[in-house]
Amino acid sequence: MDIKLHKTATTTPRIRKEIQQAPASVSDSELARRYHVSCPTIARWRYRSTQHDRPHTRHNLLATLSPVQEEIVVALRDYLRLSVDDL
């Protein structure tokens, strides 16, 4: 099974599932001590519906350039003889 975790992840999908299945009588601080993570980490995973990391890319990618940025890109392409992807 290929598990892709964020590079600074402190929990695994198995631990996240255990956090989500923990009864409400178990406090966040108790779970944090058990799994050696912070209380905000417990709160984050306790109320999510999945055990997978969310993507960290922007949802609104900037795909347009201002006129000044466009001039710089054109000048660099002419000078360096590179494609836009290589810049």
Side-chain angles (χ1 to χ4, degrees):
M1 183 168 141
D2 188 25
I3 299 173
K4 293 186 179 188
L5 297 175
H6 186 265
K7 64 182 176 182
T8 58
T10 56
T11 58
T12 62
R14 183 187 59 81
I15 292 172
R16 295 168 187 175
K17 187 174 183 178
E18 290 175 14
I19 291 168
Q20 291 169 349
Q21 292 177 345
S25 61
V26 178
S27 69
D28 287 357
S29 58
E30 286 180 57
L31 289 171
R33 277 193 299 274
R34 182 182 305 165
Y35 296 113
H36 305 289
V37 295
S38 65
C39 287
T41 299
I42 297 298
R44 176 182 307 121
W45 290 109
R46 186 170 250 194
Y47 301 106
R48 283 197 186 169
S49 59
T50 68
Q51 292 88 33
H52 304 289
D53 286 328
R54 291 182 181 163
H56 291 274
T57 56
R58 292 178 58 132
H59 293 289
N60 56 344
L61 297 176
L62 302 174
T64 59
L65 300 175
S66 69
V68 174
Q69 290 171 327
E70 189 174 340
E71 285 181 33
I72 292 171
V73 169
V74 170
L76 280 172
R77 286 188 66 201
D78 287 343
Y79 182 75
L80 299 173
R81 302 283 184 207
L82 295 173
S83 68
V84 175
D85 292 334
D86 291 336
L87 287 176

